[in-house]
Amino acid sequence: MTQTASDQVTIDIYSDVVCPWCAIGYGQLTKALDELDGEIAAEIRWRPFELNPDMPNEGEEQSAHLARKYGRSPEEGAAVRGQMKSVADSAGVSLSYEGDDEAPAAMMWNTRDCHKLLGFALEQMGPQVQTQLKLALFKAHFNRRRSLADREVLLDIAVSVGLHRQAAKTALDDADLEARVVAEERQAWDLNISGVPAMIVNGKFMIPGAQSPETYVNALRRVAEKSRTTV
């Protein structure tokens, strides 16, 4: 976006890196911001939300996990995936495996370390690098099917967006950083966020779920207008 936009907003996105609707929601939001170029500029920050905080490090096969968690039959699961793929395609988001070898099983992972790295990236490098890391984690999970519970994998991803490997490794062992992640997750519950993505605009206006670009455009225009009238 250009720097001549008349309105500036902040968007805090509560999400998890193994959440396909979070990737889709960001794709739709990006389309909305492209449409609003020159009218509204946004600073995006990612906030932690763990879909499966009790997930063991070895993870769980995705279809088995979804069947256990939501009680879906294989047919129902396939139907949901088909619907999701259609929406993802319209958002310009790929949820498909893109490796050269035979696709490994799709897995669900414990993502606490991912959120610690994202918090570290925001604190040390700012929101743009944090977003680069978030997108790299999405890609690692959905398109490469890498283990997000493997710290060496996470450190490789961190380095790929410009973070220092040793500093990132230290961050993963930082008890204070983990406590801040947990505190932000509690804040999400205090805001009645029980599902993601959930976007908080200018600290007080919530847009829940993965919405269409048109919905984001209209919502951001309303927020910008309200913000101008309350200044």
Side-chain angles (χ1 to χ4, degrees), residues 169-191:
K169 185 176 181 180
T170 300
L172 289 174
D173 292 321
D174 188 335
D176 289 338
L177 179 58
E178 181 162 4
R180 290 197 292 276
V181 167
V182 172
E184 286 194 33
E185 291 180 331
R186 289 200 192 102
Q187 184 179 40
W189 287 103
D190 290 342
L191 293 169

Side-chain angles (χ1 to χ4, degrees), residues 20-40:
W21 290 110
C22 294
I24 291 169
Y26 180 73
Q28 304 282 49
L29 176 65
T30 298
K31 286 181 175 290
L33 292 173
D34 286 344
E35 182 175 335
L36 291 166
D37 186 22
E39 181 182 344
I40 296 175

Side-chain angles (χ1 to χ4, degrees), residues 21 24 28 79-93 95:
W21 290 110
I24 291 169
Q28 304 282 49
V80 170
R81 288 193 297 273
Q83 176 197 16
M84 192 180 299
K85 184 180 185 303
S86 176
V87 179
D89 288 345
S90 70
V93 173
L95 300 177

